[in-house]
Amino acid sequence: MPYLHPPERLDELLEGEPAYRVDQLRDWLYRTPVLSGQDMTNLPAAVRERLGLLWPFQVEVEQAADGGKTRKWLFRAPDGAAIESVLMGYPRRATLCISSQAGCALGCTFCATGQFGFERHLDPGEITAQVAYAQAFLRQVGMPGTPDHLTNVVFMGMGEPLANYTRVREAMRRMIEVMGLSARSITVSTVGIVPGIRRLADEPWPASLAVSLHAADDELRGSLVPINRRYPLQELEAAAAHYLEKKRRRLSIEWTMMEGVNDTVDQAGKLAAIALRLRAHVNLIALNPTPLTEQRASSESTVKGFARELRRRGVNVTIRDTRGRAIDAACGQLRLLSGKPGLTP
Ligand code: SAH
Ligand code: SF4
């Protein structure tokens, strides 16, 4: 499974082969990925066989929605760990949402992944392979009216990327230095692991940062996002401000709208104050209900009213579309419905 091997050490898999074979393989894996090893047309069959299985997971479920412009995969690693990715196509963009962990230990009350608990960290190769798989899909199968390559990668699938820092960092390095993605096109979404944000600020790349805020005071946030008790809002805001200062990259704030919980005028006012101080862009998305959440989604008119309230105060706001609703393409949901929990039932 060559994706589990560091791209700089592929020669170890091809001992005895000339150096140009190693370069050819690296190109197939990272520059022009293909869905099947058989598509690596300039590699002799014997070389391809030596590599074994191309992908470090099996495609257990593939689902399409939104007229073919949303595609969701549930990949299964040999040890049973579940990995989810969602590809969303637009006229000038193709955004892939990837997972950084199988499951998540942080237990946000509204999140399907959180309700499932933690299975294990994903390896840098398992993270990078999700990106390579989607690239191969766009190149070889394609999506209607969508570019034939990824333009954006967001760490908004399963898991908390900054709780798997070293492996996520290595995966980002491979995406940027080996695959050639721009750091700006990669968004790390975090629930607010303060030391992780500070470490990311010290990395050489100007990656984009999204903070999943969901509540603008500690009392409410602590009830939705348990990790807020360890890293309260003031510390989170200071770390985000530090990131902004070092990278000069516009931050985004993610806000999942829950009826009667965080969609009030009071929260809008407090959120606006934070967003203005951080000069952040706010993304609103209606809750995607999960079987275990007690919260309900805010209505469309409430979401619009909340957005108006923020704009009135001078905040930049986008109401995010709910791509893939029909196939439960939100955080951990496909796996939940597949009925197979993965490593630890
Ligand atoms: N752990 C990271 C990244 C993965 S979650 C984080 O929390 O940011 C990616 C995004 O999906 C987060 O903004 C999260 O709050 C949001 N999310 C989780 N469950 C959701 C749900 N049921 N409906 C809508 N958004 C949800
Ligand atoms: Fe983990 Fe993010 Fe889900 Fe919270 S929202 S449980 S941090 S994946």
Side-chain angles (χ1 to χ4, degrees):
M1 292 191 273
Y3 281 108
L4 297 184
H5 226 73
E8 289 76 16
R9 299 207 333 244
L10 290 175
D11 55 314
E12 294 170 2
L13 300 178
L14 293 178
E15 234 170 275
E17 294 290 335
Y20 70 86
R21 289 266 180 253
V22 177
D23 294 337
Q24 285 172 329
L25 176 61
R26 192 177 300 111
D27 280 353
W28 285 122
L29 295 176
Y30 297 102
R31 289 287 173 165
T32 50
V34 280
L35 290 170
S36 156
Q38 292 178 356
D39 302 330
M40 300 181 175
T41 44
N42 58 3
L43 291 185
V47 170
R48 297 197 304 257
E49 260 159 43
R50 278 181 76 179
L51 299 171
L53 290 173
L54 174 58
W55 299 103
F57 38 62
Q58 283 190 328
V59 184
E60 185 166 302
V61 183
E62 179 179 79
Q63 286 182 308
D66 305 311
K69 291 185 181 173
T70 301
R71 193 144 307 230
K72 171 154 186 161
W73 293 285
L74 171 64
F75 302 115
R76 186 75 67 176
D79 70 352
I83 304 170
E84 278 182 25
S85 313
V86 183
L87 177 61
M88 291 157 286
Y90 304 87
R92 276 192 288 281
R93 267 186 305 139
T95 299
L96 181 70
C97 176
I98 58 172
S99 298
S100 56
Q101 300 177 312
C104 181
L106 298 179
C108 301
T109 56
F110 49 88
C111 169
T113 306
Q115 288 157 358
F116 231 95
F118 179 70
E119 290 181 24
R120 68 166 168 84
H121 293 301
L122 296 186
D123 178 269
E126 292 174 313
I127 299 170
T128 317
Q130 297 170 62
V131 179
Y133 193 92
Q135 284 289 31
F137 179 85
L138 283 172
R139 271 167 34 81
Q140 295 186 297
V141 181
M143 272 186 168
T146 299
D148 63 358
H149 59 276
L150 289 175
T151 60
N152 297 85
V153 172
V154 298
F155 278 93
M156 292 189 184
M158 287 199 292
E160 166 52 43
L162 298 182
N164 185 15
Y165 193 90
T166 315
R167 297 179 192 84
V168 165
R169 183 203 185 277
E170 171 59 12
M172 289 173 70
R173 187 194 69 77
R174 292 180 195 179
M175 289 177 213
I176 296 164
E177 293 181 1
V178 189
M179 298 183 115
L181 298 184
S182 87
R184 288 182 170 75
S185 70
I186 301 174
T187 299
V188 175
S189 175
T190 180
V191 71
I193 309 288
V194 165
I197 296 173
R198 293 189 175 273
R199 274 175 87 178
L200 196 65
D202 288 334
E203 301 293 356
W205 321 295
S208 303
L209 183 70
V211 176
S212 299
L213 207 63
H214 311 309
D217 62 65
D218 281 319
E219 195 187 336
L220 179 59
R221 195 164 192 269
S223 72
L224 299 170
V225 176
I227 197 73
N228 190 74
R229 291 174 218 144
R230 174 114 64 101
Y231 305 117
L233 274 171
Q234 213 183 346
E235 284 178 40
L236 175 53
E237 187 180 330
H242 174 70
Y243 194 86
L244 176 71
E245 196 183 314
K246 285 210 59 175
K247 300 290 177 200
R248 309 255 160 227
R249 297 281 304 138
R250 190 182 71 178
L251 302 167
S252 34
I253 291 176
E254 305 296 310
W255 192 275
T256 297
M257 302 275 303
M258 296 167 239
E259 187 182 64
V261 176
N262 64 353
D263 59 1
T264 58
V265 176
D266 172 56
Q267 284 296 312
K270 290 173 175 157
L271 166 58
I274 296 174
L276 290 174
R277 284 197 296 269
L278 291 173
R279 296 192 295 279
H281 187 100
V282 173
N283 289 313
L284 304 176
I285 182 159
L287 176 83
N288 206 345
T290 75
L292 296 174
T293 41
E294 53 205 66
Q295 297 94 351
R296 293 197 304 176
S298 306
S299 69
E300 204 182 314
S301 64
T302 307
V303 176
K304 284 188 176 146
F306 195 84
R308 255 197 318 276
E309 196 61 41
L310 292 172
R311 285 194 191 107
R312 199 171 62 75
R313 294 168 149 94
V315 178
N316 285 315
V317 189
T318 305
I319 299 176
R320 284 225 316 238
D321 64 0
T322 45
R323 271 296 179 96
R325 267 285 147 97
I327 51 170
D328 292 303
C331 215
Q333 293 202 1
L334 186 68
R335 184 185 57 156
L336 208 64
L337 295 171
S338 84
K340 281 198 212 162
L343 278 184
T344 43

